[in-house]
Amino acid sequence: QGQLVASGGGLVQPGESLKLSCAASGSATRFKPVGWYRQAPGKERELVATMSFGGDTNYADFVKGRFTVSRDKAGNMLFLQMSNLKPEDTAVYYCRAVLGSYEYWGQGTQVTVSS
């Protein structure tokens, strides 16, 4: 049985940084992580950042210049470096992985930005 695990969340103050990691294990390693999404209470899940297999990146306007998505050389882990965090960045952050036309969502990691 496999899992897609997002980690690295926590409670930080405005202006601080966090780095999220997404890793697959077991049978889930067939799926390759390609993006980060987030969902705040009472809101829809929204795209944060994606990275194609070729390395092209795409960012939501509200994180441009503050967040950076990257991948390990093997392509099995996806990272999200978050800087200058704001209270409105508070949400559960999810990693999405794909295998062909199939997608796999891991459990999220909570990011809370509060003074």
Side-chain angles (χ1 to χ4, degrees):
Q1 204 164 12
Q3 292 187 69
L4 188 66
V5 178
S7 61
L11 171 62
V12 297
Q13 294 189 347
E16 293 187 338
S17 300
L18 277 175
K19 185 174 183 178
L20 306 183
S21 299
C22 172
S25 64
S27 59
T29 55
R30 296 177 299 154
F31 291 78
K32 300 303 179 184
V34 294
W36 289 96
Y37 296 73
R38 71 186 188 187
Q39 187 167 17
K43 294 188 176 182
E44 301 275 324
R45 186 174 297 187
E46 59 185 359
L47 180 148
V48 175
T50 62
M51 175 175 268
S52 71
F53 296 125
D56 295 329
T57 57
N58 179 49
Y59 295 93
D61 287 343
F62 52 77
V63 303
K64 283 182 180 177
R66 300 188 299 125
F67 291 10
T68 302
V69 62
S70 62
R71 180 182 283 127
D72 72 326
K73 290 183 179 180
N76 294 324
M77 294 188 68
L78 196 70
F79 306 98
L80 186 68
Q81 177 67 51
M82 306 186 294
S83 302
N84 191 21
L85 283 160
K86 304 176 180 180
E88 51 265 42
D89 294 319
T90 295
V92 178
Y93 284 70
Y94 296 91
C95 176
R96 174 178 174 264
V98 298
L99 173 62
S101 60
Y102 296 93
E103 62 178 17
Y104 194 112
W105 291 88
Q107 104 290 355
T109 184
Q110 176 71 46
V111 172
T112 303
V113 185
S114 175
S115 56

